[in-house]
Amino acid sequence: MLNLIHMNLYRMAKTKSLWSCMLSMVFFCIFSCYMVSIDYEMHHAPNAQTVGQENEQSGIVGVYEGADAGEPESTFGITVQVPEKENGEMPAFLEFYNSDLASGIILLFLSIGCVIYFNGEQKSGFLKNIAGQTRHKSCIFLSKIVANMLYILVALLIYGVTQFIALQLILKGYGPIRFGTEYLSETFLLLLANFVLYLAFLGGISLITTVTKSTAVGITVGIMAACGLPATFGVYMEKLLHVTIVKYLVTTNMHQLLIGAPQKNVLFALGTGTISAAVYYFLATVYFTRKDIV
């Protein structure tokens, strides 16, 4: 098993497409920080108060709502709730970081990387050669899961470092960005819940990719799901069939993991992610074990 994990990590490190996804994520992080600076520039403009009042009346102002985010809406796309303080103080880095994690921005790039990684071996003789030398074929898939877990952790670390540096440089005109040590314990729990939810989400994508053996299908489903398409359908199903689905979705629970979220919501998200990940990876492992290696 350790040899299989080592081989998959080596294959992951040598896959240029995965590093391209990571680089694209870094550029998108910098762009997101730049958009934050535009928001704060408009907020501190001379007519910002008037514009804010007009936006509030029209219902298009975006504020940090925390635990009172309300019921899920049928929206499609990636939305970042930019943290704001009532006293006008600049939010801490950890507030920005958790807000971006909850938005699903990183999930877009992880989905593409996951599909490329899980389906990349189909075009080479790697899988066929290893399958003949492994006693338990399930270990092949399980080792890929471990490697993918490390890929998620690396992505979370790189995004955090990039965002911290970018915010310090781009928002330096508004004062230094505090790290937010008062949110460390809360961030640890939020990171754990996000990691499990990310793992569950990629488990579903890996299952689809393993069954279809199609990179295009896997990436398309991953992007659509990350943008909230299942939640959109779920809202209408609840209205038509009166069946509660949305609150059990991975992306719905992920969007609630902001600084200030009630602990019961975080624990519910952690439980939902754990159960979903176990189901997805179990089904994928069983299918992979029983299918013929060709």
Side-chain angles (χ1 to χ4, degrees), residues 128-141:
K128 187 175 182 180
N129 294 333
I130 296 302
Q133 304 175 21
T134 306
R135 179 178 302 179
H136 303 289
K137 201 164 67 171
S138 60
C139 292
I140 300 176
F141 194 84

Side-chain angles (χ1 to χ4, degrees), residues 155-203:
L156 293 176
L157 176 62
I158 291 179
Y159 192 92
V161 173
T162 302
Q163 186 179 35
F164 181 75
I165 297 175
L167 287 174
Q168 293 288 352
L169 295 177
I170 296 176
L171 295 180
K172 62 181 180 180
Y174 301 98
I177 305 295
R178 297 185 304 106
F179 185 80
T181 54
E182 66 272 23
Y183 302 121
L184 273 178
S185 58
E186 186 177 0
T187 297
F188 177 78
L189 185 58
L190 291 175
L191 271 176
L192 178 60
N194 269 310
F195 174 75
V196 174
L197 289 173
Y198 280 23
L199 191 62
F201 185 92
L202 297 182

Side-chain angles (χ1 to χ4, degrees), residues 137-289:
K137 201 164 67 171
S138 60
C139 292
I140 300 176
F141 194 84
L142 293 175
S143 63
K144 293 195 294 184
I145 296 175
V146 175
N148 197 44
M149 291 172 65
L150 295 177
Y151 185 72
I152 297 175
L153 291 175
V154 171
L156 293 176
L157 176 62
I158 291 179
Y159 192 92
V161 173
T162 302
Q163 186 179 35
F164 181 75
I165 297 175
L167 287 174
Q168 293 288 352
L169 295 177
I170 296 176
L171 295 180
K172 62 181 180 180
Y174 301 98
I177 305 295
R178 297 185 304 106
F179 185 80
T181 54
E182 66 272 23
Y183 302 121
L184 273 178
S185 58
E186 186 177 0
T187 297
F188 177 78
L189 185 58
L190 291 175
L191 271 176
L192 178 60
N194 269 310
F195 174 75
V196 174
L197 289 173
Y198 280 23
L199 191 62
F201 185 92
L202 297 182
I205 302 303
S206 65
L207 173 60
I208 294 174
T209 304
T210 302
V211 173
T212 62
K213 296 182 181 180
S214 173
T215 302
V217 172
I219 291 178
T220 301
V221 173
I223 293 177
M224 293 295 102
C227 290
L229 187 61
T232 301
F233 282 114
V235 169
Y236 289 105
M237 288 184 65
E238 289 186 4
K239 293 180 180 179
L240 296 175
L241 304 177
H242 304 288
V243 178
T244 303
I245 299 176
V246 177
K247 72 175 184 178
Y248 298 108
L249 295 176
V250 171
T251 52
T252 302
N253 284 274
M254 180 182 63
H255 294 331
Q256 298 179 5
L257 299 180
L258 300 165
I259 293 291
Q263 190 174 17
K264 64 177 183 179
N265 290 358
V266 180
L267 295 178
F268 182 83
L270 188 58
T272 301
T274 302
I275 296 174
S276 300
V279 172
Y280 287 144
Y281 286 117
F282 174 77
L283 294 176
T285 303
V286 170
Y287 179 84
F288 179 85
T289 303

